[in-house]
Amino acid sequence: MMLRRGLVFMSDTRTNAGLDNISTFKKMTIWEEPGERVITLMSAGNLATTQAVISLLDERSKLPEDRTSSLMKAPSMFQAACMVGDTLREVIGDLTDGGQRADSGFDATLILGGQIDGSPPRMFLIYPEGNFIEAGDDTPFFQIGEIKYGRPILVRAFDPDLTFESALKLLMVSFDSTLKANLSVGMPLDFFCYETDSLEKRHVGRVTADNERFQTISKGWGEALKQALDTLPDVGMESI
């Protein structure tokens, strides 16, 4: 999500290929050149596709001969989004053209956000086809993966003036609702709060299932919902 203070990212770590094959993989990658740029990528979809995209981007950022076409040399976040979109389309095309088959296909969706010195923070939602849209005042946050359970909470409570602490609390509540409704989403949760113009990776962490603060928020949210329901007027059967 985009706040006046900066950007906030949160991702779960569960991947699954059926109920009997559940694993934990990090879905958030951060590239940093302190004082020059910070770029974050989050992924959802086919694990082989997302790992191939991240590996290619990472490899091209490290090899000197490929640096001219790497995220660490992109002149703007828009150009970085174009680069990531092209890489995603390239990987999906290679997997499909190679004759591979999968029940769920090789689609993946990405969120790219960050800041390059000399321009403001920007955030993009990148589709499997390689095209993308940018966050703005009318669309201040993006979700990928399983979104329907947690989205209503974000829609009702998001405010661009949120502090990082309040934003993380809101995201925890949103994820908690999804965790309780869908087994394809699971702990731990990774987060990164990027402060505008800092151009460095400062506030990064992981929330585990036994985290005391998360458990308090989860329990408190459930109790608050029950109390709110009790305060609403009853609906008489004769009025339905």
Side-chain angles (χ1 to χ4, degrees), residues 164-236:
F164 282 160
E165 294 79 5
S166 294
L168 288 177
K169 179 169 62 176
L170 174 59
L171 287 171
M172 286 185 188
V173 171
S174 178
F175 264 100
D176 182 62
S177 299
T178 305
L179 289 166
K180 285 180 168 54
N182 194 305
L183 291 175
S184 68
V185 180
M187 304 287 281
L189 305 175
D190 292 318
F191 69 86
F192 172 38
C193 298
Y194 173 74
E195 192 159 2
T196 298
D197 294 332
S198 65
L199 294 172
E200 64 178 357
K201 183 175 63 176
R202 291 178 184 171
H203 313 291
V204 182
R206 170 167 282 195
V207 181
T208 58
D210 58 354
N211 181 277
E212 188 174 327
R213 183 63 57 86
F214 178 80
Q215 292 299 328
T216 300
I217 289 173
S218 175
K219 182 179 179 181
W221 175 248
E223 292 174 350
L225 282 177
K226 293 176 184 177
Q227 292 173 6
L229 183 63
D230 289 340
T231 63
L232 296 175
D234 290 333
V235 178

Side-chain angles (χ1 to χ4, degrees), residues 105-121:
F106 295 102
D107 283 356
T109 310
L110 309 172
I111 291 176
L112 180 75
Q115 184 176 18
I116 296 174
D117 189 28
S119 59

Side-chain angles (χ1 to χ4, degrees), residues 12-32:
D12 81 311
T13 52
R14 175 168 292 179
T15 64
N16 69 287
L19 293 177
D20 58 347
N21 188 6
I22 295 176
S23 303
T24 297
F25 284 92
K26 190 174 180 67
K27 301 178 183 178
M28 182 188 300
T29 304
I30 304 172
W31 291 273
E32 176 193 29

